[in-house]
């Protein structure tokens, strides 16, 4: 769902900024806040750690649940 939203919102912001300013270079600056918001959300996600040390893939739990 977020991918579809981003596929609409990004080009809309870029075209709106280009239309208002007349310069396409400013449209790139207009989408920087979207990347910053995405980075903040990504950093706030819980970290995942392996349950065992035997190199098995797919056995994960979040750090908050392991305490």
């Amino acid at each position: 769902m977020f991918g579809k939203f981003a596929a609409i919102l990004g080009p809309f912001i870029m075209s709106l900024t280009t239309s208002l300013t007349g310069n396409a270079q400013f449209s790139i600056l207009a989408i920087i806040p979207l990347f910053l918001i995405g980075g903040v959300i990504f950093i706030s996600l819980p970290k995942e750690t392996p349950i065992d040390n035997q190199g098995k893939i797919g056995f994960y739990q979040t750090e908050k649940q392991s305490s």
Side-chain angles (χ1 to χ4, degrees), residues 6-35:
I8 300 298
L9 186 63
F12 174 74
I13 290 174
M14 291 185 71
S15 64
L16 180 66
T17 306
T18 302
S19 298
L20 293 175
T21 63
N23 190 347
Q25 293 176 344
F26 290 130
S27 64
I28 300 298
L29 296 175
I31 62 169
I32 288 176
L34 297 177
F35 285 102

Side-chain angles (χ1 to χ4, degrees), residues 32-55:
I32 288 176
L34 297 177
F35 285 102
L36 295 176
I37 292 169
V40 168
I41 292 172
F42 181 73
I43 290 171
S44 67
L45 293 174
K47 308 286 186 281
E48 293 185 358
T49 57
I51 292 176
D52 62 354
N53 293 327
Q54 298 174 359

Side-chain angles (χ1 to χ4, degrees), residues 45-67:
L45 293 174
K47 308 286 186 281
E48 293 185 358
T49 57
I51 292 176
D52 62 354
N53 293 327
Q54 298 174 359
K56 295 181 181 177
I57 298 173
F59 296 95
Y60 290 94
Q61 68 184 28
T62 60
E63 288 180 15
K64 293 180 181 179
Q65 295 172 351
S66 63
S67 37

